Amino acid sequence: MWTKAGRGALPGDLVWPHLCRRYGACAREYRRWLSQCRRRLSRPAVHDLRVSIRRLLACVELMRAAGGRHPAVRRQLRAQLAALGALRDTQVQLRMIRGDALHAREMEPLVARLKKLRKRQARGAARELGRDRASRRLEGFVPGPGPGGGRAAMRLREYIEQRLRRAAGSLATLASDPPPGPRERHRARVQLRRLHIILEALGPVWHGNRDGKLSQSLSACQGVIGQVHDRDLLISRIARLVSQGRLGAEAAQPFSAQMQSENAGRLRACRPLIRRARARSHACVR
């Protein structure tokens, strides 16, 4: 439900043309970064391709939710996202360790292991990106006319309301006492990120985010939780290697303790962001 008449109105005659234009821009952005990553899987290129895949997936999902034609590429794009995700995590972990001058020497054995892992993951990601199924399907797809009679706007209203409710539940989880654990935080963050990308895709045709404040709050909140998640993954990897006897506990403990301390600070800083995002999401849903 919308808080006031017309605030969240989706103009039926504008929705489908907007989604078609958005699809074309997202497909071009995806192909550009795909080409870049096929040349070199650098950390910035991997990040930008992952962002472009998520934007394209959101656009395809909105076209599907509106009841119109959409390219059958979700499975292929998600496979690329998964392959790139493992590589991206290792790239970020290497950067975090190398950026810590205080503990860099003690963590050299872990750096060596991560470099080998990065090479293996890069080969797997390159194989996945080398498959042209998604690109061929995108190139051969034509959206065509949209659903008539305002059906696209009606279906999208229902879809957005569902996503808003999920995001509200995720924000409630993040604000709960006691605080959620790493897995719950990550699941909540995924929902916030998905809604943020959907709102970005809808742009001017959904009035509920016309000032952009809800989208900004969601982005800020999930961004901080993403930084916490990156450190959670590294702490977990270090603990696993220590338990397997592949990394010395005495060398790893100070670095892990520092990561945990940084996460505690980020989670404290995230509390006002969560409150702001909850207030702005409640303004869109009654």
Side-chain angles (χ1 to χ4, degrees):
M1 298 292 294
W2 312 111
T3 55
K4 60 176 76 172
R7 171 165 182 184
L10 287 157
D13 58 338
L14 299 180
V15 168
W16 187 251
H18 171 77
L19 289 180
C20 291
R21 288 192 298 271
R22 178 73 183 182
Y23 163 76
C26 288
R28 288 190 295 272
E29 179 187 49
Y30 163 75
R31 284 193 288 265
R32 182 170 69 251
W33 288 113
L34 176 64
S35 176
Q36 187 85 355
C37 278
R38 282 174 172 171
R39 289 195 294 271
R40 182 169 178 263
L41 283 163
S42 66
R43 184 177 53 81
V46 167
H47 168 76
D48 288 330
L49 179 56
R50 277 165 54 83
V51 170
S52 70
I53 290 174
R54 287 198 182 100
R55 286 174 174 163
L56 182 55
L57 279 170
C59 188
V60 170
E61 187 65 25
L62 285 168
M63 295 170 82
R64 180 171 177 264
R69 292 188 67 231
H70 56 281
V73 292
R74 289 186 296 163
R75 185 170 62 84
Q76 291 81 9
L77 292 177
R78 285 171 180 162
Q80 292 181 357
L81 203 56
L84 290 167
L87 173 60
R88 180 263 178 199
D89 288 342
T90 301
Q91 290 175 329
V92 169
Q93 289 171 14
L94 276 168
R95 187 187 185 199
M96 283 192 288
I97 297 170
R98 288 167 168 168
D100 189 331
L102 185 61
H103 303 102
R105 186 183 182 109
E106 291 83 355
M107 301 305 291
E108 283 178 0
L110 178 56
V111 169
R113 294 185 64 85
L114 290 177
K115 284 181 176 179
K116 291 180 182 178
L117 180 61
R118 182 181 60 184
K119 287 183 180 179
R120 187 163 67 248
Q121 290 170 335
R123 288 195 295 269
R127 282 195 300 271
E128 187 62 47
L129 297 182
R131 299 185 174 104
D132 282 335
R133 288 173 296 182
S135 295
R136 286 198 300 270
R137 290 184 180 184
L138 290 170
E139 288 173 4
F141 174 74
V142 179
R151 284 190 299 135
M154 179 184 68
R155 290 173 62 119
L156 279 176
R157 273 196 295 270
E158 294 173 355
Y159 177 78
I160 297 167
E161 287 175 355
Q162 180 187 67
R163 286 296 169 192
L164 283 167
R165 286 192 294 269
R166 290 185 184 181
S170 296
L171 288 166
T173 296
L174 293 171
S176 62
D177 191 19
R183 290 185 180 181
E184 292 78 11
R185 279 199 306 267
H186 178 60
R187 283 197 291 267
R189 182 215 174 198
V190 168
Q191 292 297 331
L192 299 185
R193 183 179 62 198
R194 182 171 293 181
L195 178 58
H196 163 67
I197 296 173
I198 286 170
L199 297 183
E200 179 188 63
L202 285 173
V205 297
W206 185 56
H207 299 173
N209 189 47
R210 176 163 283 177
D211 59 6
K213 289 183 178 179
L214 173 58
S215 184
Q216 290 168 10
S217 291
L218 294 171
S219 179
C221 186
Q222 68 90 21
V224 173
I225 297 170
Q227 294 172 4
V228 172
H229 180 64
D230 288 337
R231 282 162 176 76
D232 282 337
L233 290 178
L234 181 53
I235 292 167
S236 177
R237 172 166 277 169
I238 290 172
R240 187 166 59 251
L241 292 173
V242 169
S243 69
Q244 295 170 350
R246 299 179 181 181
L247 187 65
E250 190 173 329
Q253 195 279 331
F255 181 74
S256 291
Q258 179 176 308
M259 293 287 104
Q260 290 168 347
S261 176
E262 290 177 1
N263 267 1
R266 280 176 168 80
L267 288 172
R268 285 193 298 272
C270 196
R271 288 172 190 165
L273 298 177
I274 294 169
R275 288 195 296 269
R276 191 176 303 128
R278 291 188 78 185
R280 288 173 177 172
S281 66
H282 289 158
C284 292
V285 182
R286 212 170 1 201

